[in-house]
Amino acid sequence: MKVNKQWLGASALGVALTVGLAGGAQAQTIKIDGSSTVFPISEAVAEEYGKVNPNIRVTVGVSGTGGGFKKFAPGETDISNASRPIKASEAALAVKSGVQFIELPVAFDALTIVVNKQNTWAKNITTEELKKIWMPGSTVKNWSQVRAGFPSVPLKLYGPGTDSGTFDYFTEAINGKEKASRTDFTSSEDDNVLVQGVSRDKGGLGYFGFAYYEENSNKLNAVAVNGVMPSIDAVNKGTYKPLARPLFIYVNKAKAAQPHVAGFVRYYLANMAKLSKQVGYVPLPSGLVRMAQARFNKKATGSIFGNKGSQVNVTLGGLMRKEGGK
């Protein structure tokens, strides 16, 4: 199964992927929105779930992680896709609206730096060079300014919009502060816009989730970070630092009491390892899958990350084991 680029582009324009019956009084609906990075996983789960539960409609939209939480916190959606943990301000809005949430990890991602196929010089880049390029106020506009020996080619930058959890995580990991970034770059919540931009510009550089690179590796080159190429193996070994990160869904606890929502989430957790791998992400180890299932079964609310949003120097397994008393 591959990333459904047609639906992703439509979703970014406000049209959601819908799986299940097109209508009917008896149809039950599950509304999902949020991260474009997590979209391929939730899309894959929704498609497979629809084959065995055709009377349940699952809609999956793309508003970015922040945009998704803006809908989830007031109770407009049942599930929110997120490529970073929830922030205190987002959690506070949910509390104000009377919404309790269940945080569930679903996969790992290798946030990938990409360049144009004609770029023969940038095969490896350091985190210091990435900071030099992307830090607030950066005046780097040519590849020759990035490193001595790089050619004089105009540097054109492409990145996620400010509502994106990928933007939040990248800026925290590279610039040391969430949302700290230069602003003179082409931004979009639709990762396919970024793919197209870099693929058309010889001096282009961008970043997004690993699945989108995998889907478009014929158009783009991935760049090693600190000498390590993004890959499932590198994430599993813990060598792809600091751009490996967990991905999540957030479930409205009250909605999870409804049988059709609970059934979908249980199906999601039971199948996410297989389906996340199929769409290009790194499956959770079986131990973490069981912890996520136990967390949902207990309807444990709140964030194991303390509502602090993007965090680089913590491990998902460590936090989940600590919560479970292990």
Side-chain angles (χ1 to χ4, degrees), residues 15-125:
V15 181
L17 165 69
T18 303
V19 176
L21 286 180
Q26 301 304 312
Q28 295 175 300
T29 300
I30 298 170
K31 296 180 181 179
I32 307 174
D33 209 313
S35 167
S36 63
T37 303
V38 183
F39 174 91
I41 305 173
S42 292
E43 176 198 33
V45 174
E47 287 182 345
E48 294 302 307
Y49 187 74
K51 294 175 182 178
V52 294
N53 294 277
N55 292 326
I56 297 176
R57 292 187 299 167
V58 183
T59 66
V60 190
V62 176
S63 300
T65 297
F69 280 133
K70 288 175 184 176
K71 297 179 181 181
F72 178 77
E76 296 174 15
T77 56
D78 306 309
I79 298 170
S80 204
N81 294 331
S83 60
R84 59 154 172 80
I86 195 168
K87 299 179 184 178
S89 58
E90 295 161 339
L93 180 59
V95 170
K96 184 178 179 180
S97 303
V99 171
Q100 292 182 294
F101 57 85
I102 306 167
E103 177 185 73
L104 301 169
V106 297
F108 288 110
D109 179 29
L111 204 162
T112 304
I113 308 299
V114 296
V115 294
N116 186 274
K117 278 289 186 182
Q118 297 181 67
N119 185 324
T120 58
W121 58 92
K123 299 183 182 299
N124 176 60
I125 197 164

Side-chain angles (χ1 to χ4, degrees), residues 107-310:
F108 288 110
D109 179 29
L111 204 162
T112 304
I113 308 299
V114 296
V115 294
N116 186 274
K117 278 289 186 182
Q118 297 181 67
N119 185 324
T120 58
W121 58 92
K123 299 183 182 299
N124 176 60
I125 197 164
T126 67
T127 47
E128 290 77 12
E129 288 167 337
L130 285 171
K131 183 175 182 178
K132 183 179 179 181
I133 292 169
W134 285 98
M135 67 181 181
S138 173
T139 58
V140 175
K141 296 184 178 181
N142 194 290
W143 278 97
S144 63
Q145 295 173 271
V146 177
R147 184 190 302 173
F150 278 178
S152 180
V153 176
L155 175 65
K156 184 67 179 294
L157 299 174
Y158 298 85
T162 57
D163 264 344
S164 167
T166 299
F167 175 80
D168 291 340
Y169 188 88
F170 181 84
T171 50
E172 173 74 24
I174 298 303
N175 293 332
K177 184 178 180 182
E178 194 173 282
K179 294 191 181 300
S181 174
R182 66 189 297 170
T183 58
D184 57 337
F185 66 96
T186 300
S187 66
S188 177
E189 303 297 344
D190 182 354
D191 292 327
N192 288 296
V193 171
L194 309 181
V195 169
Q196 292 164 12
V198 177
S199 68
R200 292 170 181 169
D201 195 320
K202 181 179 178 180
L205 179 145
Y207 64 92
F208 38 71
F210 185 65
Y212 290 88
Y213 164 69
E214 286 275 275
E215 183 71 17
N216 296 281
S217 59
N218 62 320
K219 302 176 183 177
L220 304 166
N221 289 336
V223 180
V225 176
N226 297 330
V228 180
M229 287 292 289
S231 68
I232 291 176
D233 186 56
V235 172
N236 283 330
K237 289 181 177 178
T239 57
Y240 189 66
K241 297 178 179 180
L243 296 181
R245 57 176 178 164
L247 305 175
F248 306 88
I249 59 171
Y250 286 75
V251 183
N252 183 312
K253 182 181 178 182
K255 299 293 182 66
Q258 300 174 5
H260 70 291
V261 176
F264 174 76
V265 175
R266 290 195 176 96
Y267 183 90
Y268 198 126
L269 296 175
N271 292 276
M272 63 189 181
K274 175 183 70 175
L275 295 175
S276 62
K277 185 175 183 179
Q278 285 182 9
V279 299
Y281 290 116
V282 182
L284 294 183
S286 58
L288 290 186
V289 171
R290 288 192 294 271
M291 289 182 192
Q293 291 170 326
R295 199 165 206 272
F296 181 70
N297 290 336
K298 291 187 297 184
K299 301 298 185 292
T301 58
S303 173
I304 61 174
F305 294 84
N307 302 336
K308 294 179 181 178
S310 301

Side-chain angles (χ1 to χ4, degrees), residues 307-326:
N307 302 336
K308 294 179 181 178
S310 301
Q311 296 177 59
V312 177
N313 296 315
V314 297
T315 64
L316 176 64
L319 290 174
M320 295 191 76
R321 284 188 287 272
K322 182 178 180 180
E323 180 188 50
K326 298 179 181 179

